[in-house]
Amino acid sequence: MDIEREFAELAKVKPLEIKTSRELTVAVMGAGSRGNEYPAYGKLFPGTMRVVAVADIDASRRNAMGESWGIPRERRFGDYREMLEAGRNGKLADIMLISLPDDLHYEPAMEAMRQGYDVLLEKPMAQTERECLDLLARQRETGVMVAVGHVLRYSPYFCALKKALDAGLVGEVVSIQHQEPVMYAHMAHSFVRGNWHDGKATTPMIVAKCCHDMDILKWLVGRRCVRVNAEGGIALFRADKAPAGAAMRCTDGCPHERTCPYSAIDIYDRKRFFLYVFDLNKNCPSEAILEKLRTTDYGRCVYHMDNDQPDHIVATLLFEGGVTASFTMDAFTPWGGRRTRVMGTMGYIEGDGKTFALHRFDTGKSYPWSFTPPEGGRYRESGHAGGDLALIRDFLQAVDTRDFSLLSSSLEASVESHIMGFACEKSRKSGVSWGLSPAESSPSP
């Protein structure tokens, strides 16, 4: 094998821009962060796609999208059910983009497929294994195209890593170590105070946050997962860990506010993190932020929330053929960005989500990989290290040509990684390993 030639191939990145035979139309359910991220492709590359309808219960969000795309008032819906009802007499668009909260994915996806839309469904697909399998059955019944928002599969970094393994640059893959460092402030924001603090109302952490990681591990190995084992729980974010005298809100004169790393005042006002959740920008006055902290869960003490999501998880996974993987989700890190190590019979790869290095045992040489964004940095501007725009690129091309093979994260391919996540949660709660039978998994890699 010519290692240098094979490694050089990894630097080739598919351009973001495509040409479609016509401008594809999109109806957006949920005009929040994710609902705006994907349609940005149509702004970058006019003529490929256009948003023609929007549904969001927040009037400011739906009208902001409406004004941005010139959507008529009658196509700006409050509740997503209004949009579905309007489509019963004929589709409003070619594509339905579903980026609603986790607990509102299943029903609209089922109905959108029934109405004949091609669907881009944000992850997680649904709240239970049964619902995931129902979605797969409906997709097979209707024959529409459905992509799931597993955007990591489309980022240049993970695409290059996948190509390296498929090319045999480490020999046969024996084991993978993979870490999802959530970052301490992100954990407090999203999974203690935020929309995903209650795993029963949304989805458990291993699905809500880590179904990306289950999917990447399944994709990299390229084999069916047959058994999982998981451990983890809440080490810090609970009442018995609260410092003496901690207030119920950070704005209530808490004596620990200035020294607590999870202070809402520090995270949102001083550091100006995550202000998109309030529809505020980093230049807004402090009082606007403090008012939100006084009146929403985002201002509550992290030790006095009604959260149930684990702040640390360790899972082991066994794949067909004996390939093993270990996965950790860690809330207590100063940074985000996934870390991955791949151990093979002829080599080793270690990466940090942006760069990786191949170390070959036979030659003793190391080969570094890094990514220089083409096209004026548009890849760099895209979320998930370029994956967000690359996903919508491939989805639009697949819809336009009716070529399902262009989709890496098809609904069928995504079912198994969701079921892996649900199985990990069962194992974590029961304390026993959990086997996955072929009947529980998607037949597609």
Side-chain angles (χ1 to χ4, degrees):
M1 177 185 291
D2 187 337
I3 301 297
E4 294 198 8
R5 182 182 64 80
E6 292 285 350
F7 200 82
E9 288 293 309
L10 304 183
K12 296 180 180 179
V13 177
K14 184 177 178 181
L16 274 178
E17 185 173 9
I18 59 167
K19 300 294 183 182
T20 51
S21 63
R22 61 187 177 88
E23 187 175 61
L24 296 165
T25 55
V26 182
V28 175
M29 286 186 175
S33 175
R34 303 305 299 158
N36 278 279
E37 186 73 26
Y38 295 125
Y41 188 93
K43 296 289 188 181
L44 281 172
F45 305 112
T48 55
M49 62 171 285
R50 170 168 290 278
V51 179
V52 296
V54 58
D56 197 294
I57 58 173
D58 187 304
S60 64
R61 289 184 178 183
R62 70 172 176 270
N63 286 327
M65 179 169 281
E67 294 304 311
S68 175
W69 288 96
I71 302 170
R73 290 281 171 179
E74 64 272 16
R75 292 294 179 93
R76 303 181 192 181
F77 305 94
D79 191 282
Y80 73 89
R81 296 174 185 85
E82 298 172 17
M83 178 181 279
L84 289 173
E85 185 61 34
R88 291 187 187 280
N89 296 319
K91 294 191 302 179
L92 304 178
D94 300 305
I95 296 164
M96 182 72 77
L97 166 56
I98 301 174
S99 53
L100 296 163
D102 293 4
D103 59 321
L104 299 178
H105 287 184
Y106 174 71
E107 179 191 350
M110 290 289 282
E111 178 60 20
M113 285 189 280
R114 192 194 67 78
Q115 292 184 12
Y117 289 95
D118 292 315
V119 178
L120 177 53
L121 177 60
E122 187 50 49
K123 64 85 189 170
M125 294 162 51
Q127 289 182 282
T128 67
E129 296 174 43
R130 182 67 264 161
E131 288 180 344
C132 288
L133 294 172
D134 285 349
L135 288 167
L136 179 58
R138 177 62 58 89
Q139 186 274 324
R140 288 171 170 170
E141 171 192 331
T142 60
V144 298
M145 192 169 292
V146 182
V148 177
H150 279 146
V151 289
L152 298 185
R153 286 187 178 220
Y154 299 85
S155 71
Y157 169 86
F158 278 109
C159 284
L161 185 55
K162 171 66 170 171
K163 289 176 184 176
L165 301 188
D166 288 352
L169 296 187
V170 298
E172 293 184 22
V173 174
V174 176
S175 185
I176 298 178
Q177 296 174 358
H178 183 71
Q179 180 193 27
E180 160 68 299
V182 178
M183 202 270 275
Y184 74 100
H186 185 185
M187 180 73 195
H189 167 69
S190 293
F191 303 102
V192 180
R193 295 180 171 117
N195 292 338
W196 294 273
H197 73 274
D198 183 348
K200 295 181 291 295
T202 55
T203 47
M205 184 70 162
I206 194 73
V207 177
K209 179 63 174 168
C210 308
C211 70
H212 277 315
D213 304 288
M214 295 294 107
D215 185 68
I216 280 295
L217 286 169
K218 168 68 176 67
W219 187 52
L220 292 178
V221 173
R223 302 183 185 188
R224 191 176 66 83
C225 183
V226 296
R227 187 166 67 245
V228 303
N229 185 79
E231 304 285 350
I234 304 176
L236 182 66
F237 303 109
R238 59 191 202 217
D240 65 311
K241 294 287 189 175
M248 300 302 288
R249 282 186 178 273
C250 299
T251 52
D252 288 347
C254 179
H256 307 284
E257 189 278 314
R258 280 284 176 177
T259 57
C260 177
Y262 306 102
S263 161
I265 296 173
D266 186 58
I267 291 173
Y268 299 104
D269 186 30
R270 297 191 195 107
K271 291 187 170 74
R272 299 289 168 121
F273 289 164
F274 314 117
L275 292 185
Y276 60 82
V277 77
F278 304 132
D279 292 321
L280 297 173
N281 61 52
K282 291 190 175 184
N283 297 317
C284 71
S286 289
E287 184 53 38
I289 298 172
L290 294 176
E291 178 58 26
K292 296 292 187 181
L293 301 185
R294 295 186 194 104
T295 57
T296 70
D297 282 350
Y298 293 103
R300 291 174 63 184
C301 173
V302 292
Y303 301 103
H304 294 298
M305 274 294 300
D306 51 345
N307 55 296
D308 66 359
Q309 298 282 31
D311 51 29
H312 65 295
I313 298 172
V314 177
T316 58
L317 304 97
L318 175 66
F319 294 87
E320 286 181 334
V323 177
T324 56
S326 62
F327 167 72
T328 65
M329 182 285 295
D330 304 286
F332 307 108
T333 63
W335 28 251
R338 292 163 169 89
R339 271 67 173 163
T340 308
R341 293 171 173 169
V342 183
M343 281 63 71
T345 55
M346 293 297 293
Y348 166 86
I349 286 178
E350 183 165 354
D352 62 4
K354 297 178 181 178
T355 65
F356 65 80
L358 164 68
H359 306 274
R360 284 285 298 194
F361 304 148
D362 51 355
T363 65
K365 291 183 178 180
S366 293
Y367 304 85
W369 182 91
S370 61
F371 174 55
T372 302
E375 305 180 68
R378 285 167 175 160
Y379 261 113
R380 193 186 303 279
E381 295 164 7
S382 172
H384 293 95
D388 289 354
L389 291 180
L391 164 58
I392 193 68
R393 172 202 63 201
D394 285 6
F395 180 60
L396 292 175
Q397 194 167 37
V399 170
D400 186 46
T401 62
R402 310 312 298 170
D403 184 352
F404 281 60
S405 69
L406 294 173
L407 282 180
S408 173
S409 63
S410 66
L411 183 68
E412 187 173 30
S414 300
V415 165
E416 184 173 348
S417 56
H418 277 68
I419 291 177
M420 287 164 58
F422 287 119
C424 283
E425 181 69 356
K426 291 175 185 175
S427 175
R428 185 183 75 85
K429 287 187 170 182
S430 67
V432 299
S433 296
W434 206 268
L436 285 77
S437 68
E440 292 176 304
S441 305
S442 162
S444 169

